Amino acid sequence: MTERLAADTAGLARAAELLTNGALVAFPTETVYGLGADARQGEAVARIYEAKGRPSFNPLIVHVADLAMAERFGRFSPDARRLADAFWPGPLTLVVPIAEGAGLSDLVSAGLPTIGLRVPRGETAQALMRRFDGPIAAPSANPSGKISPTRASHVLDGLDGRIGAVLDGGPAEVGVESTIIGCYDQPRLLRPGGLPVEILEEALGQPLAPAPATGSPNAPGQLASHYAPGAPVRLNVSAPVEGECLIGFGPDAPRDALNLSVSGDLVEAAANLFAFLRKADATGQRIAVWPVPHHGLGLAINDRLARAAAPR
């Protein structure tokens, strides 16, 4: 059963404990309830996709307490810092380059070199961020494709028994999702949302560039442009050939393979996926991938692998 925690000292302490231990905790922001996991723990982040039934590894927004905490995980240009100073806490997500040594799971960014960061408004969210003192990856706390939740009871309607707890901070303010601004080159509008474009442009003193027409809109809520290895990728390979680096799965894969999960645990495999693709790419060989089951998180893993293997 999912715990229902009051937004008091004891409830906040329990929520932080669960997050530290790799469990999922839903919590209120100013827009909707988010489904939170420690953004540094790959298996915890993988459980978000599993609980939501999310079809692919799209980038997730990482929630932090303030700009100082955000700068542990992202590199802020003067424009990004100007926007953060003006509009945080609030419904603004800034997509910035990941800081060296940030320690975030690759699943949070879907293997991209950028990360979406937000400081949410609201007493309960702020109290949880400060109690946990770490980055919380959090999409909306509902099964994928369903209506976003604005009360703890809505979270339980869809996810009871599938997550560790919901922190009940009362009704969330109903509103549109956060505006997403890319600050990895010139400031770009990646997704309109709760902050009008005109206000953001006034703060910047310049117009926002549009999102890239093709290629890499680095934003949650958009079609993700996933990390693609430089080497060719061959899928569903049970007999690798000479000159291939094998990414394995399960106990039957060769012992010298980069095994996503020797035990066949799809959550562990999801957590390892992007890092192992990088390791394989670094060998300079072609990449072969052992068959991965097409159920549970295996659907998302295979979706990601199919994109990695697509002609380019």
Side-chain angles (χ1 to χ4, degrees):
M1 290 291 293
T2 296
E3 298 179 44
R4 187 166 185 164
L5 305 174
D8 55 17
T9 301
L12 289 163
R14 176 60 176 159
E17 177 187 24
L18 287 166
L19 288 169
T20 299
N21 291 334
L24 304 184
V25 176
F27 64 98
T29 73
E30 72 272 32
T31 53
V32 299
Y33 274 69
L35 182 57
D38 185 341
R40 299 162 295 195
Q41 297 187 42
E43 290 191 26
V45 177
R47 291 187 187 104
I48 291 177
Y49 294 97
E50 183 179 49
K52 285 178 63 70
R54 198 169 172 120
S56 62
F57 296 136
N58 296 324
L60 299 176
I61 294 172
V62 174
H63 295 68
V64 292
D66 51 32
L67 176 57
M69 186 181 291
E71 288 180 318
R72 300 183 200 171
F73 309 109
R75 293 189 283 112
F76 282 69
S77 66
D79 285 331
R81 192 167 287 106
R82 187 176 299 115
L83 292 174
D85 287 337
F87 300 111
W88 279 356
L92 173 66
T93 296
L94 297 175
V95 177
V96 298
I98 297 174
E100 186 174 354
L104 298 174
S105 164
D106 281 336
L107 285 181
V108 173
S109 60
L112 294 166
T114 53
I115 188 69
L117 294 164
R118 181 163 98 86
V119 177
R121 204 167 54 223
E123 183 178 346
T124 301
Q126 280 288 314
L128 177 62
M129 302 295 161
R130 297 189 185 284
R131 184 67 187 243
F132 180 61
D133 192 29
I136 301 177
S140 57
N142 56 284
S144 187
K146 301 299 183 180
I147 298 171
S148 294
T150 57
R151 297 175 182 266
S153 59
H154 298 166
V155 176
L156 294 171
D157 286 344
L159 297 176
D160 193 12
R162 302 173 71 178
I163 65 175
V166 55
L167 186 61
D168 190 348
E173 300 172 33
V174 179
V176 296
E177 296 172 315
S178 63
T179 301
I180 301 181
I181 302 297
C183 291
Y184 44 85
D185 49 14
Q186 58 183 314
R188 296 180 179 275
L189 177 65
L190 299 182
R191 184 183 74 185
L195 282 174
V197 170
E198 294 81 1
I199 294 176
L200 291 161
E201 290 180 336
E202 183 179 354
L204 286 168
Q206 61 179 298
L208 290 165
T214 59
S216 56
N218 300 351
Q222 297 181 332
L223 178 64
S225 176
H226 294 297
Y227 168 79
V233 178
R234 196 162 66 97
L235 303 182
N236 299 312
V237 175
S238 55
V241 299
E242 186 177 352
E244 287 185 326
C245 177
L246 179 65
I247 296 177
F249 175 82
D252 296 330
R255 294 182 65 180
D256 60 350
L258 292 170
N259 202 314
L260 294 168
S261 174
V262 174
S263 66
D265 183 337
L266 288 168
V267 172
E268 181 184 11
N272 286 331
L273 178 61
F274 292 111
F276 280 27
L277 279 170
R278 284 193 175 94
K279 286 182 181 179
D281 203 22
T283 68
Q285 297 178 295
R286 297 185 302 275
I287 299 171
V289 184
W290 196 262
V292 177
H294 283 267
H295 61 77
L297 280 181
L299 294 174
I301 293 169
N302 280 298
D303 171 83
R304 175 60 191 89
L305 288 170
R307 294 173 188 274
R312 53 185 183 274

